[in-house]
């Protein structure tokens, strides 16, 4: 740690950052040059900097990056406003928060830039608080567990206040300690004062109670108020609110409340009784011209309507939130969650006369990517992509398998169970590993940082109490042995620690860094064991215990704690400086397991000291969940690229092979299990990577494939378009010649060539897909001819849905021309497919309201008429856009496959929402846009 005064260090960092490039990652040489310049400046002013620490700090600041977010949105009834508002309003709360993140929280600047960008994107999706009339806007933000969602919505709230929202209500979980923790974060980042002592920023003596962003020497003091505070019992209270007499609308009021029906109802009743106007049409009191913004943290927990009858009898908390929103003529709602499984099963059409529409994110859904220094499930457990386009992510060497806990505490036990007297060896080792990590952090100079260990082995508070006592006794035994100056206990204990250090910590740290200077020797760590041990406390964290994790009270000296708990530790609550987790608590659902993963997050300067002790079965569950959630996020990103709206949010979540549920059964009343494969499917490319290398590689793949086809099959030319056709192509040529080499856009998750190739292989083994027809589709007249291995065909044109120049990819609605898929059918197959298409269209209308009368067979009916040995591959050379240095004569290569029904291919089970079921991607009257 640097001994330089904070202000000097912050000024030096800011000057150095100003010297570095803003549009790319700085090189090591550029960092060194900036350090040298700033060191010279500081020396000239008589100020001393620790060069090594300053260099390391600067390198970390510029090395961390964060990818852009993606989102779906629906502009129906929405008016764009933010670009103009950027110039006609002051953004003081945001500017102060930004400086706080950079100068106090030491957040890497590229992450702050991305936060600025992504909060703008979400804010722009809300309505302008100055917009006249009545309006309601709702959305969802999907982050990752412990990845900074709180910091994101505080930044969003700061901008919302600057824009003109006057009442901000943050729904912060269902426990007092999580609400209290969130309030403290809001006090530091947004309000700038300690709410345990003040309600308003302009009260007498306020200067002595400034904290966080408000305590910075160069910070503006901004008007704001809160009717809640950061104490354990600081939730909203009507009597306190009545005494405060805060006029909603004159300046911003920010509340952090629990998701408790009575508290939400009390807030609504107070605000409508003091600021409401009677509405004769509805008979209710409505608050007018005081825009409300509700931020729902952990939006999949408690807010979801779990009632069997969503329209007539919503569950209590869901109803309370909806009534609060419905009591304002101007209201916006944004839910935040890392586990959106329950949210995607909300019925978008559920409405109620009194409560209004449900909390379906009608306006927008956005995903947030975590920064590169985030220690998330992909890195902890590894991620096997099963895809040639994506590299597998190898797991970090941080997980230690627990095999000996059942005799101490069986996985299934009752509330009265008493654990065996002897702690399992794995838990003893985990506690010793925590002591090692605390000592190592002290040796690294992190003397006043928080250190936490999580022990999550049971949901029963009585059992947690016994476990806490057993751990405390073991810790005291270690302390006593190290204090033994006369016997051999101290040397024996230190040998145990040294053995753990050399066999576990040294090789693990070596995995993370090759820098010898960053590694500690045993001699450097050993003196810190007893001081580290003296500081450690063991606490039970549950509703029955009086212990509290007072990180804020110990912010200057650092808290070292072993937290034993269950439900309170399983969602939302952040364990500061968490290094070691001992986790045995099983769950039956994806979302609960992910939320229990408190070990995810940011571990700057001590990532290598982290450990997770858990069972092999729980590790397998997390590996499976990681793959399922990664696939879900990618599908959201692809749908965002396709410009879909939340109402077109037809998502599927891969079901578990281990018997896990996606989310609680009462949150999935609108979820249906289906089995999916490429059987009778028609995957087609609609996203194209515009990098010169990818475009060239795919065209070379096509040329090599066509040359090979000419050898094994005699081509024919068919009209229209001088299309080239090869018949009776064996499946191994389709796989090795085309799909194995084709490079899709990374966002194209629904059409993954590696998956298609594997499906073809499995079907071929079962005697299916044996004789392929390949059609290279050309446009006639060939005004844009391209030579493909001696075959001259006209490039087809497809209109983009996006701006390729800004996104670096080309997005189209469909590559397939509807008539192309049926050209290889015989007369009987064609007639049956058309007849069934017409029958399916009876009673439906087109976009003009006219009865549908299909002229060509629809894709599903075509594929159901195909024989098992009659698959079709359509390849389209597409005219490239004018983009960068792309060669206008090298086409983009698109494809569409038409698979017959399979009798053998096993399918993967998914849970889908209503929208996915209702999706009909086939349109009977769709015209080719050539």
């Amino acid at each position: 740690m640097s001994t330089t005064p904070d202000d000097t260090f912050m000024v030096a960092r800011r000057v150095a950052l100003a010297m570095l490039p803003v549009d790319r990652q700085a090189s090591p040489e550029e960092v060194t040059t900036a350090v040298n310049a700033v060191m010279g400046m500081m020396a000239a002013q008589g100020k001393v900097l620790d060069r090594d620490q300053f260099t390391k700090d600067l390198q970390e600041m510029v090395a961390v990056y964060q990818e852009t977010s993606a989102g779906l949105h629906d502009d129906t009834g929405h008016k764009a406003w933010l670009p103009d508002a950027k110039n006609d309003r002051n953004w003081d709360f945001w500017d102060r928060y930004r400086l706080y993140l950079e100068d106090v929280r030491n957040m890497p600047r590229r992450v702050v830039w991305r936060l600025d960008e992504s909060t703008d994107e979400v804010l722009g999706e809300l309505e302008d608080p100055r917009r006249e009339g009545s309006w309601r806007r709702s959305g969802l933000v999907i982050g990752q567990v412990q990845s900074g969602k709180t910091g994101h919505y505080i930044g969003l709230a700061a901008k919302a206040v600057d824009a003109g929202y006057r009442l901000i209500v943050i729904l912060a979980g269902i426990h007092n300690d999580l609400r209290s923790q969130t309030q403290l974060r809001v006090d530091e980042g947004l309000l700038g004062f300690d709410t345990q002592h003040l309600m308003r920023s302009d009260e007498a003596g306020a200067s002595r109670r400034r904290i966080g962003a408000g305590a910075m020497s160069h910070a503006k003091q901004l008007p704001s108020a809160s009717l809640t505070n950061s104490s354990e019992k600081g939730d909203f209270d009507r009597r306190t609110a009545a005494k405060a007499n805060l006029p909603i609308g004159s300046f911003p009021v920010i509340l952090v409340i629990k998701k408790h029906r009575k508290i939400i109802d009390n807030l609504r009743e107070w605000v409508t009784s003091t600021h409401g106007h009677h509405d004769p049409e509805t008979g209710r009191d409505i608050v007018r011209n005081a825009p409300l913004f509700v931020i729902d943290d952990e939006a999949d927990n408690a807010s979801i309507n779990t009632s069997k009858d969503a329209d007539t009898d919503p569950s209590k908390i869901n109803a309370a939130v909806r009534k609060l929103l419905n009591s304002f003529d101007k209201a916006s709602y944004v839910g935040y969650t890392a586990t959106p499984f329950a949210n995607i099963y909300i019925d978008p059409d559920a409405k109620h006369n009194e409560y209004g529409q449900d909390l379906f994110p009608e306006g927008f859904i956005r995903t947030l990517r975590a920064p590169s220094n985030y220690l998330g499930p992909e890195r902890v457990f590894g991620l096997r992509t099963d895809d040639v386009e994506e590299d597998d992510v190898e797991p970090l060497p941080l997980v230690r398998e627990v095999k000996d806990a059942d005799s101490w505490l069986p996985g299934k036990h009752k509330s009265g169970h008493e654990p065996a007297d002897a702690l399992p060896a794995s838990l003893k080792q985990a506690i010793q590993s925590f002591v090692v990590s605390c000592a190592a952090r002290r040796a690294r100079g992190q003397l006043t940082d928080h250190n936490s260990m999580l022990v999550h082995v049971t949901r029963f508070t009585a059992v947690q109490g016994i476990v806490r006592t057993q751990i405390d006794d073991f810790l005291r035994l270690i302390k006593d042995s190290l204090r033994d100056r006369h016997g051999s206990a101290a040397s024996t204990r230190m040998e145990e620690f040294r053995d753990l250090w050399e066999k576990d910590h040294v090789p693990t740290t070596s995995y993370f860094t090759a820098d010898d200077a960053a590694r500690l020797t045993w001699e450097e760590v050993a003196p810190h064991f007893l001081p580290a041990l003296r500081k450690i406390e063991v606490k039970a964290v549950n509703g029955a215990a009086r212990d509290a994790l007072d990180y804020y009270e110990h912010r200057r000296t650092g808290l070292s704690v072993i937290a034993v708990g269950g439900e309170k530790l399983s969602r939302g609550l952040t364990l500061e400086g968490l290094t070691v987790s001992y986790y045995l608590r099983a769950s039956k659902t994806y979302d609960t397991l992910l939320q229990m993963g408190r070990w995810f997050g940011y571990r700057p300067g001590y990532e290598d000291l982290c450990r997770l002790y858990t069972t092999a079965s729980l590790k397998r569950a997390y590996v499976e969940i990681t793959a399922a959630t990664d696939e879900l996020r990618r599908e959201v990103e692809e749908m965002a690229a396709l410009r879909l709206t939340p109402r077109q949010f037809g998502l599927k979540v891969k079901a578990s092979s281990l018997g896990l549920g996606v989310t609680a059964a009462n949150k999935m009343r609108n979820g249906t299990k289906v089995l999916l494969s490429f059987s009778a499917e028609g995957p087609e490319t609609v996203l194209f990577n515009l990098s010169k290398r990818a475009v060239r590689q795919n065209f070379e793949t096509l040329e090599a494939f066509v040359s090979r086809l000419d050898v094994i099959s005699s081509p024919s030319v068919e009209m229209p378009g001088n299309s080239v056709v090869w018949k009776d192509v064996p499946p191994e040529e389709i796989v090795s010649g085309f799909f194995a080499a084709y490079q899709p856009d990374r966002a194209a998750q629904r059409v993954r060539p590696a998956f298609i190739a594997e499906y073809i292989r499995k079907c071929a083994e079962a005697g299916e897909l044996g004789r392929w027809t390949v059609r290279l589709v050309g446009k006639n007249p060939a005004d844009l001819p391209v030579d493909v291995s001696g075959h001259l065909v006209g490039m087809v044109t497809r209109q983009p849905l996006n701006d390729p120049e800004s996104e670096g990819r080309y997005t189209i609605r469909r590559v397939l021309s509807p008539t192309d898929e049926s050209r290889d059918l015989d007369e009987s197959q064609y007639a049956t497919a058309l007849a069934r298409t017409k029958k399916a269209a009876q009673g439906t209308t087109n976009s003009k309201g006219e009865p549908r009368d299909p002229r060509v067979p629809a894709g599903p009916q075509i594929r159901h008429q195909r024989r098992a040995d009659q698959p079709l591959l359509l390849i389209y050379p597409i005219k490239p856009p004018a983009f960068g240095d792309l060669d206008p004569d090298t086409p983009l290569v698109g494809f569409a496959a038409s698979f017959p029904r399979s009798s053998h291919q096993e399918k993967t089970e998914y849970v889908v929402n209503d929208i996915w079921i209702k999706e009909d991607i086939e349109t009977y009257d769709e015209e080719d846009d050539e």
Side-chain angles (χ1 to χ4, degrees):
M1 294 287 285
S2 172
T3 56
T4 309
D6 285 348
D7 279 355
T8 300
F9 201 78
M10 283 191 288
V11 169
R13 182 200 291 140
R14 187 168 289 283
V15 172
L17 288 173
M19 297 178 177
L20 296 173
V22 298
D23 58 343
R24 58 176 173 81
Q25 186 169 329
S27 68
E29 294 76 18
E30 289 171 325
V31 172
T32 300
T33 300
V35 169
N36 290 338
V38 171
M39 293 293 294
M41 293 179 195
M42 294 294 112
Q45 298 175 27
K47 298 175 180 178
V48 179
L49 279 176
D50 181 326
R51 173 183 285 274
D52 291 341
Q53 178 63 32
F54 183 56
T55 303
K56 183 179 178 182
D57 177 85
L58 197 61
Q59 287 171 337
E60 290 176 352
M61 289 287 287
V62 300
V64 177
Y65 63 90
Q66 184 174 14
E67 295 182 39
T68 56
S69 65
L72 323 178
H73 64 99
D74 188 344
D75 286 336
T76 304
H78 174 62
K79 294 183 178 179
W81 61 280
L82 188 56
D84 291 335
K86 282 291 183 181
N87 294 315
D88 65 17
R89 296 170 213 193
N90 294 319
W91 300 90
D92 293 335
F93 276 92
W94 164 253
D95 287 338
R96 188 175 73 173
Y97 182 58
R98 178 181 56 79
L99 289 173
Y100 169 70
L101 293 177
E102 291 178 348
D103 291 350
V104 180
R105 303 292 295 183
N106 296 334
M107 184 176 284
R109 61 173 180 169
R110 293 171 77 190
V111 175
V112 176
W113 295 341
R114 195 66 74 209
L115 177 68
D116 188 11
E117 178 185 64
S118 61
T119 48
D120 266 1
E121 288 166 346
V122 177
L123 182 68
E125 297 280 12
L126 307 181
E127 293 306 323
D128 182 355
R130 297 183 183 178
R131 179 180 170 182
E132 295 298 325
S134 299
W135 41 260
R136 162 93 175 264
R137 186 79 168 164
S138 59
L140 179 69
V141 176
I142 303 171
Q144 297 191 53
V145 177
Q146 298 283 95
S147 66
K149 295 186 299 299
T150 304
H152 190 278
Y153 67 65
I154 290 175
L156 176 62
K159 289 183 176 180
V161 168
D162 288 329
Y165 281 92
R166 283 299 169 256
L167 178 60
I168 312 284
V169 177
I170 299 174
L171 304 174
I174 59 176
H175 295 298
N176 282 329
D177 46 7
L178 177 55
R179 190 213 66 81
S180 175
Q181 187 181 75
T182 303
Q183 177 81 57
L184 181 58
R185 293 280 302 277
V186 171
D187 290 358
E188 293 177 323
L190 180 56
L191 293 167
F193 61 84
D194 188 342
T195 52
Q196 292 196 32
H197 301 282
L198 301 173
M199 277 191 182
R200 296 172 54 146
S201 58
D202 56 357
E203 287 183 43
S207 60
R208 298 193 305 273
R209 301 298 183 183
R210 291 170 186 161
I211 63 174
M216 296 185 299
S217 59
H218 50 289
K220 284 186 178 181
Q221 301 309 312
L222 304 171
S224 58
S226 180
L227 292 171
T228 55
N229 67 66
S230 61
S231 69
E232 188 80 1
K233 297 182 179 179
D235 213 333
F236 178 80
D237 179 83
R238 287 191 68 175
R239 286 173 295 183
T240 304
K243 292 177 185 176
N245 191 29
L246 290 178
I248 304 294
S250 57
F251 53 84
V253 176
I254 295 97
L255 310 178
V256 182
I257 66 175
K258 282 199 308 294
K259 287 191 209 181
H260 188 285
R261 178 190 58 82
K262 188 174 181 180
I263 292 172
I264 300 171
D265 283 345
N266 283 344
L267 170 59
R268 175 181 50 79
E269 290 166 3
W270 169 74
V271 75
T272 53
S273 65
T274 55
H275 298 83
H277 302 271
H278 187 70
D279 183 355
E281 287 188 15
T282 62
R284 293 182 288 112
D285 289 335
I286 303 293
V287 180
R288 303 193 184 281
N289 298 316
L292 167 70
F293 181 26
V294 174
I295 296 173
D296 187 354
D297 193 12
E298 307 294 346
D300 63 309
N301 186 32
S303 305
I304 300 296
N305 187 3
T306 56
S307 169
K308 291 183 179 179
D309 192 340
D311 286 325
T312 60
D313 185 26
S315 49
K316 292 179 179 178
I317 295 177
N318 175 269
V321 175
R322 290 160 67 182
K323 286 174 73 175
L324 174 64
L325 291 165
N326 224 24
S327 297
F328 285 72
D329 67 340
K330 308 175 193 297
S332 288
Y333 166 92
V334 176
Y336 276 77
T337 184
T339 48
F341 305 114
N343 302 82
I344 70 174
Y345 299 121
I346 296 175
D347 182 355
D349 297 315
K351 292 189 177 176
H352 189 279
N353 289 336
E354 182 180 356
Y355 310 140
Q357 66 192 61
D358 204 347
L359 302 179
F360 179 79
E362 186 88 32
F364 62 94
I365 299 171
R366 296 205 70 83
T367 62
L368 301 178
R369 301 296 292 269
S372 57
N373 62 338
Y374 169 63
L375 188 66
E378 290 87 357
R379 294 183 64 206
V380 173
F381 297 104
L383 178 65
R384 298 199 63 82
T385 63
D386 295 323
D387 196 344
V388 294
E389 294 85 36
E390 294 283 346
D391 294 330
D392 290 349
V393 178
E394 293 298 323
L396 295 176
L398 304 179
V399 183
R400 304 290 179 266
E401 188 174 331
V402 175
K403 301 178 181 179
D404 58 356
D406 273 352
S407 59
W408 169 64
L409 188 64
K412 292 184 178 180
H413 57 267
K414 296 183 179 180
S415 58
H417 178 82
E418 291 194 15
D421 292 338
L423 291 178
S426 59
L427 179 51
K428 290 180 180 179
Q429 187 189 94
I431 295 167
Q432 290 174 313
S433 187
F434 178 58
V435 177
V436 171
S437 71
C438 291
R441 294 192 72 190
R442 291 178 66 89
R444 290 176 180 178
Q446 300 166 11
L447 298 169
T448 59
D449 289 18
H450 298 305
N451 294 283
S452 299
M453 176 178 176
L454 162 69
V455 178
H456 191 167
V457 294
T458 177
R459 67 186 177 93
F460 299 116
T461 56
V463 182
Q464 290 166 19
I466 297 172
V467 172
R468 192 215 74 84
T469 301
Q470 290 181 328
I471 292 174
D472 192 56
D473 289 345
F474 179 67
L475 204 63
R476 290 178 187 279
L477 179 65
I478 296 176
K479 291 178 185 177
D480 288 346
S481 63
L482 287 183
R483 293 192 189 104
D484 181 12
R485 299 182 179 179
H486 305 290
S488 61
S491 60
T492 301
R493 184 67 70 184
M494 287 303 289
E495 279 303 311
E496 290 179 4
F497 279 125
R498 181 166 189 162
D499 188 60
L500 182 62
W501 171 261
E502 292 179 348
K503 291 181 179 178
D504 188 328
H505 283 73
V506 169
T508 303
T509 298
S510 297
Y511 178 90
F512 281 84
T513 177
D515 183 3
D516 291 334
R519 303 176 191 170
L520 297 170
T521 65
W522 169 251
E523 288 70 25
E524 290 172 314
V525 177
H528 294 280
F529 275 88
L530 193 54
L533 267 165
R534 290 188 181 125
K535 200 172 179 181
I536 297 172
E537 303 174 79
V538 186
K539 295 190 174 188
V541 183
N542 55 52
R546 294 183 178 180
D547 290 344
L549 300 177
D550 294 324
Y551 293 114
Y552 184 71
E553 296 299 322
H554 294 81
R555 63 191 180 279
R556 292 184 177 87
T557 58
L559 179 69
S560 290
V561 62
I562 298 177
V564 182
E567 299 300 330
K568 280 198 171 186
L569 296 179
S570 67
R571 184 183 276 270
L573 192 67
T574 298
L575 296 172
E576 301 283 352
L578 178 63
T579 50
V580 179
S581 300
Y582 191 85
Y583 175 72
L584 305 179
R585 173 81 185 282
S587 175
K588 295 180 179 179
T589 63
Y590 285 3
D591 47 8
T592 303
L593 274 170
L594 271 179
Q595 289 292 348
M596 286 180 177
R598 298 292 96 194
W599 50 84
F600 303 130
Y602 301 96
R603 307 288 183 261
Y606 62 98
E607 197 174 58
D608 61 306
L609 301 175
C610 296
R611 298 291 184 273
L612 168 62
Y613 287 78
T614 193
T615 64
S617 60
L618 278 167
K619 181 180 176 181
R620 283 195 300 271
Y622 274 101
V623 169
E624 185 174 82
I625 295 165
T626 299
T629 52
D630 188 68
E631 184 175 318
L632 171 65
R633 175 181 55 77
R634 289 166 182 271
E635 288 222 356
V636 174
E637 291 171 356
E638 182 180 349
M639 284 185 280
L642 292 174
R643 300 292 194 270
L644 299 183
T645 70
R647 276 191 167 266
Q648 297 168 312
F649 189 57
L651 274 188
K652 62 183 190 296
V653 180
K654 186 181 290 185
S656 169
S657 63
L658 304 176
L660 300 170
V662 174
T663 186
N666 60 356
K667 296 179 182 179
M668 282 181 52
R669 301 194 191 282
N670 296 301
T672 304
K673 287 188 176 182
V674 297
L675 295 171
L676 297 178
S677 80
F678 290 109
S679 175
E681 291 292 320
E684 59 179 306
T685 46
V686 291
L687 301 176
F688 298 89
N689 186 339
L690 290 183
S691 72
K692 189 174 182 179
R693 182 196 59 79
V695 172
R696 186 73 229 171
Q697 181 176 333
N698 282 337
F699 185 59
E700 289 173 354
T701 294
L702 174 59
E703 288 188 303
F705 182 48
V706 166
S707 295
R708 180 64 184 159
L709 291 176
D710 283 341
V711 172
I712 61 176
S713 175
S714 298
S716 61
V717 177
E718 297 183 1
M719 299 301 290
N722 291 325
S723 297
V724 187
V725 180
W726 297 266
K727 296 183 177 180
D728 298 327
V729 180
E732 58 269 21
E733 296 291 345
I734 301 292
V735 170
S736 63
F738 187 73
F739 286 116
Y742 185 92
Q743 292 294 310
D745 185 90
R746 289 180 64 127
Q749 295 306 313
R750 291 183 166 189
V751 182
R752 304 175 81 173
F755 289 177
I756 295 173
E758 183 61 22
Y759 176 78
I760 294 171
R761 289 190 193 101
K762 289 182 177 179
C763 285
E765 289 171 4
E768 297 179 334
L769 307 184
R771 301 168 60 195
W772 282 75
T773 296
V774 179
R775 175 184 292 269
L776 177 61
V777 182
K779 179 183 179 181
N780 191 30
D783 52 352
L784 296 166
V786 60
D787 187 326
V788 183
S789 296
H791 299 281
L792 203 63
V793 294
M795 283 191 270
V796 301
T797 56
R798 295 290 184 265
Q799 295 301 315
L801 297 174
N802 65 330
D803 176 9
E805 192 70 37
S806 63
E807 297 185 19
R809 69 163 52 96
Y810 200 69
T811 304
I812 61 177
R813 187 155 62 104
R814 298 201 68 181
V815 73
L816 180 77
S817 297
T819 54
D820 290 340
E821 192 175 3
S822 60
R823 293 190 191 280
D824 65 321
L825 299 184
D826 61 35
E827 291 184 6
S828 175
Q829 288 175 316
Y830 188 94
T832 303
L834 181 57
R836 292 186 176 182
T837 300
K838 289 180 176 291
K839 184 176 181 180
Q842 288 177 0
T844 64
T845 58
N846 61 21
S847 58
K848 299 177 182 178
E850 303 164 340
R852 288 188 188 274
D853 183 21
R855 294 168 292 170
V856 296
Q861 305 301 337
I862 293 170
R863 296 189 287 272
H864 277 81
Q865 295 309 306
R866 289 192 178 281
R867 298 184 303 275
D869 66 344
Q870 195 185 9
L872 171 69
L873 175 62
L874 298 163
I875 301 178
Y876 293 85
I878 302 170
K879 178 187 176 184
F883 175 79
D885 58 351
L886 284 185
D887 180 357
D889 296 323
T890 301
L892 309 179
V893 178
F895 71 81
S898 183
F899 286 104
R901 241 181 339 184
S902 171
S903 301
H904 300 92
Q905 175 56 33
E906 289 186 4
K907 299 182 180 182
T908 302
E909 186 175 69
Y910 285 80
V911 181
V912 303
N913 62 0
D914 278 355
I915 299 170
W916 190 94
I917 295 171
K918 294 173 184 175
E919 275 183 338
D920 180 14
I921 64 167
E922 307 293 340
T923 54
Y924 301 120
D925 54 352
E926 186 169 13
E927 295 295 337
D928 188 1
D929 59 358
E930 292 181 5

